[in-house]
Amino acid sequence: MNDVRKRARLIYNPTSGQEIMKKKIAEVLDVLEDIGYETSAYRTTPKPLSAQKEAERAAKAGFDLVIAAGGDGTINEVVNGIAPLEERPKLAIIPVGTTNDYARALKIPTGNPVAAARIVEKGKPVFLDIGRAYGDKYFVNISAAGTLTELTYSVPSEVKTRLGYFAYVAKGAEMLPRAQFRPVRITHDKGIFIGKVSLIFVALTNSIGGFEQLAPDAKLNDGNFTLILVKTGNLFDILSLMIQALNGGQHITDPKIEYIKTSHLKLEILDENSPFMINLDGEYGGDTPVELEVLHNHLEFFANVDEIADEALLDFNNDAI
């Protein structure tokens, strides 16, 4: 009986991370071929949803593995192409973007495409939670709202490529003084929050915007979001909370923070000003009101499981779904 090789489709963004994938594409393909995958590559284009449409096509064509090579935006598009389908291939990540939040959570090497590709060989596939917004948009790392969260899509892509993470730092410093403090109603598993907030984070991992302690007890597969509400609009208070977050996640016990575990929530703005824009994995996803839900163990990712802290990953079973 002939041994049928598994097929992999590499979807890569040629402009991510100082265009490193263009230089390493042949080596990455060699790694995947050596592992045992018959591998082909697709280079994304500037057309809208290029990566998403190709991921959907590859999944429907029966590819066993889809690899997203790029930044968080490329990963999000690939996830959105695959998540709605009944038959879903395994996923892998080659992070070459600016912040690479999701890759950090999965302990995938960043800025080194060949090392990241080898995680498919060394790592283990594990079913992980993802989020769904508006019923048909998906995210793997973060949904957020508030003035500072808008900076991820207010920095032009060419500036991201040239300056990287410093582009975000500079833009954040510019936006901090005009952080809005607005009344919201948030319905969640444990009740209803009504009050003023300046920032809202709905996290699936502990890695958000380069901070790895914003949701220090977040688990990748427990069926819950970590909801973080910043209940102050004062510039110095926000800076203090950021310092606490950097200092081992101490912010979560601050009285200016609401810290809640929930599998579902609805966010509404209670004033008559413009709605909050909703950030999904660093990209604009839509406006309030919005309902968010966890899809438990929905996608199977190759992760560097041995490097992920025990408290960040429940005991997993690849037969979960």
Side-chain angles (χ1 to χ4, degrees), residues 38-176:
E38 181 182 306
T39 309
S40 55
Y42 174 82
R43 171 176 170 156
T44 63
T45 71
K47 291 183 179 179
L49 306 181
S50 171
Q52 179 172 328
K53 290 176 180 177
E54 175 58 21
E56 180 182 359
R57 188 205 68 77
K60 289 181 176 178
F63 280 80
D64 302 281
L65 172 67
V66 173
I67 307 104
D72 292 328
T74 302
I75 294 167
N76 178 264
E77 275 199 39
V78 168
V79 164
N80 272 270
I82 291 172
L85 305 177
E86 288 293 326
E87 297 292 329
R88 301 182 290 272
K90 291 181 174 66
L91 289 164
I93 297 170
I94 296 178
V96 289
T98 305
T99 52
N100 303 308
D101 276 325
Y102 198 58
R104 291 178 192 276
L106 302 191
K107 302 301 180 185
I108 308 295
T110 60
N112 187 335
V114 174
R118 292 195 183 282
I119 294 298
V120 176
E121 179 181 28
K122 298 177 182 177
K124 300 172 184 175
V126 54
F127 285 102
L128 300 177
D129 300 340
I130 68 169
R132 180 164 60 187
Y134 306 102
D136 63 356
K137 294 184 178 181
Y138 303 85
F139 59 100
V140 293
N141 195 61
I142 181 75
S143 175
T147 306
L148 286 179
T149 69
E150 297 169 13
L151 68 88
T152 52
Y153 37 81
S154 62
V155 177
S157 58
E158 62 271 17
V159 177
K160 293 181 190 177
T161 299
R162 190 172 70 253
L163 298 180
Y165 186 67
F166 292 104
Y168 291 110
V169 174
K171 194 68 177 179
E174 174 190 317
M175 297 179 74
L176 252 180

Side-chain angles (χ1 to χ4, degrees), residues 157 195 209 224 278 284:
S157 58
N224 282 315
I278 301 299
Y284 171 67

Side-chain angles (χ1 to χ4, degrees), residues 1 22 74 144 160 163 237 244 278 298:
M1 187 172 68
K22 288 199 295 188
T74 302
K160 293 181 190 177
L163 298 180
D237 286 344
Q244 291 181 56
I278 301 299
H298 191 73

Side-chain angles (χ1 to χ4, degrees), residues 153-220:
Y153 37 81
S154 62
V155 177
S157 58
E158 62 271 17
V159 177
K160 293 181 190 177
T161 299
R162 190 172 70 253
L163 298 180
Y165 186 67
F166 292 104
Y168 291 110
V169 174
K171 194 68 177 179
E174 174 190 317
M175 297 179 74
L176 252 180
R178 46 193 182 84
Q180 297 181 12
F181 191 45
R182 300 180 58 189
V184 299
R185 175 170 54 232
I186 301 177
T187 306
H188 54 83
D189 289 354
K190 298 178 176 65
I192 300 174
F193 170 88
I194 298 176
K196 285 189 173 183
V197 299
S198 60
L199 289 164
I200 300 164
F201 298 103
V202 184
L204 284 156
T205 80
N206 67 344
S207 181
I208 303 165
F211 290 85
E212 294 195 27
Q213 290 293 322
L214 205 59
D217 61 349
K219 289 182 170 56
L220 295 164

